[in-house]
Amino acid sequence: MDPTVAVIGATGAVGEVFLRVAEQREFPMAKLKLLASPRSAGKRLTFRGQQITVEETSEATLEGADIVFCSATSAVSKQWGPWLRERGVIMIDDGSAYRMDADVPLVVPEVNGDDLEWHNHIISIPNCTTTPLVMALNAMRQVAPLKRVTAATYQAVTGTGAAAARELMAQTEAIGRHEAIPPIEVYPQQIALNVLPQVDDFDEDDYTKEELKMRNETRKILHIDGLPFSSTCVRVPVVLSHSEAVHVEFESDAPMKQLHEALRAQEGLVIGEDPKTWVSPLQAANDDRVFVSRLRPDRSVEHGVAFWVVSDNLRKGAATNAIQIAEELIRRGKL
Ligand code: A2P
């Protein structure tokens, strides 16, 4: 029988995209419950042509769900994760609360779908910067072992949520009308016509939590403990799609032709064959695929390459990856 599905955070930036992706992929459902905070109770959202009323997230409204997609806050994931697990309900969590737990698989189905075999009801999806990166790295490591990875990100404001997207648009409109910028609420500084080299709070070694998530999650998904990794995560005034400038050093020679072949063979990824062409965040928006372009040698190290990777942070970076995990669970007879 098709599962009863609940979405916690249905009114959020990811929740909205989740509904569209589930429609497009015809994800099988007996019933869909749309849940959010009490603020949204009574709001109506459209799914497959039907209006569904949003309800407050509670034990009563989660009752009967077979699978729960959660994209709200870490506190919300922590509130409901153990409760759902105790009842044998699978939670696919978009937040960072459980990602590094030893008994929680962190999954990009095209890379480490086998990790779903040992799930204990909570399954995490990676940070939206990690997912496109590991897809590219997974392809490339078929050619030669990875030695070191460095990256700089250019992250869209929807990664912070719907309120951040509203803040960027309000500031941009105010600038266009030559009016004062409205009070800044989401970011530490104005985001319109600016870039902010801080994503999330500061943590160990003066790296931000986002930078450490990217490192730790990449190691976990690729099963490479201690992979040398460093990144700088930057917020840019883009609404949709995260971009990353990545440098990879290999343990041995990784010929460009073989790298192209490996990237071409990676499911869910598109490689630009001409290194002089590239894909912008706008071009990747509303697309489920990960786009790699500007692949070229990095002659500053012995076996190095540099490339540009872009993907829609709300799709492959969140909603699409979550739905693909559920599809994979069904395919493996684990749902
Ligand atoms: P709401 O719209 O009712 O505030 P975004 O990432 O775009 O900011 O969205 C966050 C999502 O998480 C929204 O759907 C929001 O609902 C939801 N959310 C926030 N707090 C809670 C909560 N305590 N319980 C359930 N959902 C929550």
Side-chain angles (χ1 to χ4, degrees):
M1 206 175 103
D2 290 344
T4 291
V5 175
V7 181
I8 302 178
T11 52
V14 174
E16 197 186 318
V17 173
F18 180 92
L19 299 183
R20 302 293 79 83
V21 176
E23 283 175 340
Q24 285 162 11
R25 297 179 76 93
E26 299 183 351
F27 184 77
M29 299 181 196
K31 188 174 177 200
L32 175 63
K33 294 173 170 211
L34 301 182
L35 310 178
S37 80
R39 292 182 291 276
S40 299
K43 206 171 162 181
R44 290 163 84 82
L45 299 175
T46 306
F47 182 68
R48 294 181 182 157
Q50 309 266 320
Q51 294 265 299
I52 301 179
T53 304
V54 177
E55 299 173 280
E56 175 181 352
T57 312
S58 69
E59 291 186 10
T61 53
L62 283 167
E63 194 62 49
D66 300 303
I67 183 159
V68 174
F69 292 92
C70 184
S71 184
T73 61
S74 280
V76 172
S77 302
K78 284 191 175 145
Q79 183 181 359
W80 296 110
W83 187 88
L84 293 165
R85 179 183 262 171
E86 263 171 40
R87 283 155 185 78
V89 179
I90 291 174
M91 177 170 88
I92 300 181
D93 189 28
D94 180 31
S96 60
Y98 295 103
R99 284 185 192 140
M100 295 314 294
D101 284 15
D103 64 347
V104 173
L106 179 64
V107 176
V108 177
E110 300 94 327
V111 175
N112 64 331
D114 286 347
D115 285 342
L116 291 172
E117 292 294 329
W118 50 266
H119 84 78
N120 182 16
H121 297 99
I122 298 175
I123 299 161
S124 285
I125 70 163
N127 187 276
C128 38
T129 51
T130 308
T131 302
L133 178 64
V134 293
M135 286 181 61
L137 294 179
N138 183 58
M140 290 178 166
R141 71 164 163 176
Q142 314 301 324
V143 178
L146 305 175
K147 185 175 177 191
R148 176 171 180 254
V149 177
T150 60
T153 70
Y154 305 73
Q155 298 182 223
V157 294
T158 43
T160 316
R166 287 193 294 273
E167 182 155 298
L168 170 61
M169 294 319 293
Q171 291 176 359
T172 308
E173 284 166 18
I175 292 165
R177 290 195 299 262
H178 303 283
E179 290 172 0
I181 299 284
I184 293 168
E185 284 170 6
V186 178
Y187 293 117
Q189 279 188 32
Q190 176 183 322
I191 180 69
L193 305 185
N194 206 1
V195 296
L196 312 179
Q198 179 189 349
V199 178
D200 209 334
D201 298 329
F202 282 98
D203 201 330
E204 108 200 9
D205 252 355
D206 297 331
Y207 277 75
T208 62
K209 285 190 188 330
E210 187 85 347
E211 290 157 357
L212 298 178
K213 279 184 252 174
M214 223 178 146
R215 180 193 73 189
N216 297 340
E217 294 174 17
T218 298
R219 290 172 175 171
K220 180 169 175 172
I221 295 164
L222 296 178
H223 302 166
I224 311 178
D225 290 346
L227 173 70
F229 189 105
S230 176
S231 70
T232 302
C233 290
V234 182
R235 190 72 66 190
V236 296
V238 163
V239 175
L240 256 187
S241 303
H242 290 346
S243 309
E244 303 173 28
V246 186
H247 289 250
V248 176
E249 210 179 324
F250 298 95
E251 293 284 359
S252 52
D253 192 27
M256 209 44 82
K257 188 166 170 286
Q258 285 180 37
L259 287 173
H260 271 271
E261 276 165 19
L263 286 160
R264 234 179 276 131
Q266 174 66 54
E267 194 190 333
L269 187 147
V270 179
I271 166 73
E273 299 296 336
D274 176 357
K276 292 184 185 59
T277 63
W278 39 263
V279 177
S280 71
L282 266 185
Q283 288 172 302
N286 301 311
D287 200 308
D288 284 325
R289 297 170 296 175
V290 167
F291 296 88
V292 172
S293 57
R294 296 216 55 206
L295 179 63
R296 60 205 191 276
D298 175 357
R299 307 239 187 257
S300 69
V301 291
E302 196 179 358
H303 305 294
V305 295
F307 63 94
W308 177 249
V309 59
V310 187
S311 89
D312 184 322
N313 54 300
L314 298 181
R315 284 196 164 238
K316 187 55 189 167
T320 303
N321 198 58
I323 292 176
Q324 286 175 315
I325 287 173
E327 290 170 347
E328 187 65 21
L329 287 170
I330 293 171
R331 202 180 65 75
R332 290 170 184 254
K334 298 192 80 69
L335 181 69

